[in-house]
């Protein structure tokens, strides 16, 4: 997978329209089953789907990554979020370049929008992200820091960001993509260069000091089907736990290509839960090569179904989050030219068979026995 520099979280729309029912493609058997369980979305303002209730019945979160501008101004966008999901992830607005564009100068307008919207609609919140090699402000990316200086910069940022939302944001991707794209070597990012491999443990301890209630994650891509990178992350996680580092979970990003969703996703997640960690499919999308055909869109539903079922098969899988609200807001076309149609809603806010695939998984699947998902506790 390529270097994912400056994931944009597109906020412009290529089309607009009311929410409509799934059409002829619902002839696919498992989508028909799903439609019998709930009414897929109609025009904006009508009753939404039963997806939130289905997810909660299994004790998992069903989340979506949100962009700030449509979350403020687009009622159709807001309705898709509140009608179909139980959690939100800040797609871009909590990243360092947006939160602290200049040192000691913080912009809370975007993060506040996400957190306030989530609390108003009783949605869980996933914070994304604290340490990442991309989307850094120029003052940070081009700075030359010794170990103590960089620790000070890290603490200032965490105390500001985590401290502002202490007790409000349920979990944080503290470390995002620590391994090289192809793995299994650790990425020689700013933090690694100054602090060595210990930067990961230091960051997790620091985040825990600032917000002891938050669940702290390492979030990575390219580990869903096992392999050297997944093995390296497993060894890293094992070592951190042996040291008593406050690591609580692993995010399996789940940026899949149509036709290439691994069959052993649940097995690979279970390796990490056996260590006592939670897992989550944290950034799910399934991109389709252009020209996008009706057949591919129909088949994509099976892949979304399998992803959600994999979570249900793992007792400590706490949720599945889709990376974007509609195809009009997806990062895929810009960063993967020649691919599109990665999400459960199209550019015109119409539901696609992928939504039925998730419904089918939650309607028919059985939750693996194990520890129940923690419910958030709000301050105030």
């Amino acid at each position: 997978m390529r270097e994912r520099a400056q994931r944009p979280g597109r906020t412009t729309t290529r089309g607009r329209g009311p929410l409509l029912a799934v059409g002829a493609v619902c002839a696919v058997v498992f989508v028909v089953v799903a439609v019998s369980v709930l009414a897929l979305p109609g025009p904006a303002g009508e009753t939404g789907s039963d997806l939130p209730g289905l997810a909660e019945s299994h004790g998992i979160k069903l989340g979506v990554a949100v962009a700030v501008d449509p979350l403020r101004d687009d009622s159709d966008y807001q309705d898709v979020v509140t009608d179909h999901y139980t959690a939100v992830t800040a797609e871009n607005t909590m990243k360092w370049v947006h939160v602290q564009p200049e040192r000691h100068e913080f912009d809370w307008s975007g993060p506040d929008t996400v957190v306030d919207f989530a609390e108003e609609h009783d949605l869980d919140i996933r914070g994304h992200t604290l340490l990442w090699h991309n989307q850094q402000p120029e003052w940070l990316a081009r700075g030359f820091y010794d170990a103590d200086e960089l620790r000070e910069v890290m603490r200032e940022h965490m105390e500001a960001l985590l401290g502002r939302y202490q007790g409000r944001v349920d979990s944080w991707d503290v470390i995002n993509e620590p391994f090289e794209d192809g793995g299994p070597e650790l990425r020689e990012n700013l933090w690694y260069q100054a602090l060595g491999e210990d930067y990961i443990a230091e960051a997790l301890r620091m985040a825990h000091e600032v917000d002891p209630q938050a669940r702290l994650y390492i979030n990575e891509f390219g580990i869903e089907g096992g392999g050297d990178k997944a093995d390296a992350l497993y060894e890293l996680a094992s070592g951190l736990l042996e040291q008593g580092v406050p690591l609580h979970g692993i995010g399996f990003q789940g940026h899949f290509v149509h036709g290439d969703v691994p069959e052993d996703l649940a097995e690979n997640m279970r390796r990490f839960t056996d260590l006592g960690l939670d897992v989550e499919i944290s950034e799910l999308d399934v991109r389709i090569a252009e020209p996008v055909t009706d057949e591919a869109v129909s088949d994509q539903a099976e892949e979304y179904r399998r992803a959600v079922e994999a979570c249900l098969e793992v007792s400590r899988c706490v949720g599945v989050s889709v990376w974007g609200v509609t195809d009009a807001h997806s990062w895929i076309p810009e960063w993967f030219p020649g691919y599109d149609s990665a999400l459960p809603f199209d550019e015109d806010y119409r539901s696609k068979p992928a939504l039925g695939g998730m419904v089918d998984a939650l309607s028919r699947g059985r939750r693996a026995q194990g520890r129940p998902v923690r419910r958030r506790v709000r301050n105030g």
Side-chain angles (χ1 to χ4, degrees), residues 41-310:
E46 290 187 3
T47 301
S49 81
D50 292 335
L51 269 171
L54 289 169
E56 290 172 356
S57 73
H58 290 286
I60 69 169
K61 296 178 291 184
L62 190 65
V64 64
V66 294
V68 172
D69 287 347
L71 198 65
R72 288 174 175 153
D73 304 326
D74 187 337
S75 60
D76 287 346
Y77 185 98
Q78 296 166 3
D79 287 344
V80 170
V81 174
T82 56
D83 286 351
H84 300 88
Y85 299 101
T86 69
V88 295
T89 299
E91 184 179 22
N92 281 296
T93 194
M94 289 183 177
K95 291 172 183 173
W96 207 304
V97 69
H98 299 292
V99 169
Q100 194 179 179
E102 300 292 339
R103 190 170 183 186
H104 302 136
E105 295 182 9
F106 295 89
D107 182 355
W108 302 116
S109 57
D112 281 353
T113 295
V114 173
V115 173
D116 291 347
F117 180 89
E119 291 185 332
E120 179 183 353
H121 297 281
D122 197 28
L123 303 171
D124 290 284
I125 308 166
R126 183 182 182 88
H128 180 82
T129 177
L130 297 178
L131 298 191
W132 190 32
H133 63 282
N134 280 327
Q135 289 184 258
Q136 297 174 352
E138 185 174 351
W139 69 266
L140 177 65
R142 295 190 178 182
F144 298 94
Y145 305 98
D146 63 26
D148 288 340
E149 290 171 335
L150 192 57
R151 288 189 185 98
E152 182 180 356
V153 169
M154 288 167 54
R155 183 169 289 279
E156 289 172 355
H157 189 77
M158 289 194 188
E159 287 180 348
L161 181 54
L162 273 75
R164 184 176 183 86
Y165 303 111
Q166 182 180 8
R168 302 171 71 190
V169 173
D170 310 287
S171 59
W172 282 95
D173 291 328
V174 178
I175 309 295
N176 196 48
E177 300 174 3
F179 289 91
E180 294 290 345
D181 286 0
E185 298 82 12
L186 281 171
R187 193 185 300 272
E188 294 191 14
N189 56 28
L190 169 70
W191 324 104
Y192 183 93
Q193 291 169 0
L195 301 172
E197 182 177 336
D198 288 344
Y199 88 88
I200 297 173
E202 289 194 42
L204 288 163
R205 290 190 176 106
M206 199 177 290
H208 185 65
E209 290 173 8
V210 177
D211 188 351
Q213 295 180 9
R215 306 292 291 173
L216 308 180
Y217 279 71
I218 296 175
N219 192 49
E220 187 58 273
F221 73 94
I223 60 172
E224 298 84 0
D228 291 345
K229 189 175 185 179
D231 291 345
L233 178 56
Y234 180 87
E235 292 302 322
L236 172 64
S238 299
L240 292 170
L241 294 173
E242 288 175 1
Q243 298 172 50
V245 174
L247 172 65
H248 305 124
I250 301 294
F252 285 65
Q253 289 187 11
H255 293 298
F256 297 127
V257 180
H258 172 54
D260 196 28
V261 178
E263 297 285 350
D264 56 352
L265 176 57
E267 178 183 342
N268 289 312
M269 289 194 294
R270 199 172 288 114
R271 294 176 63 199
F272 290 87
T273 65
D274 287 345
L275 294 174
L277 294 168
D278 293 340
V279 295
E280 181 170 341
I281 301 174
S282 57
E283 303 186 18
L284 178 63
D285 50 32
V286 183
R287 60 188 182 270
I288 299 175
E290 295 177 319
V292 177
T293 65
D294 290 344
E295 181 181 6
V297 170
S298 179
D299 291 344
Q300 184 190 53
E302 169 70 8
E303 295 171 312
Y304 268 86
R305 182 186 66 80
R306 282 164 44 200
V308 174
E309 281 188 345

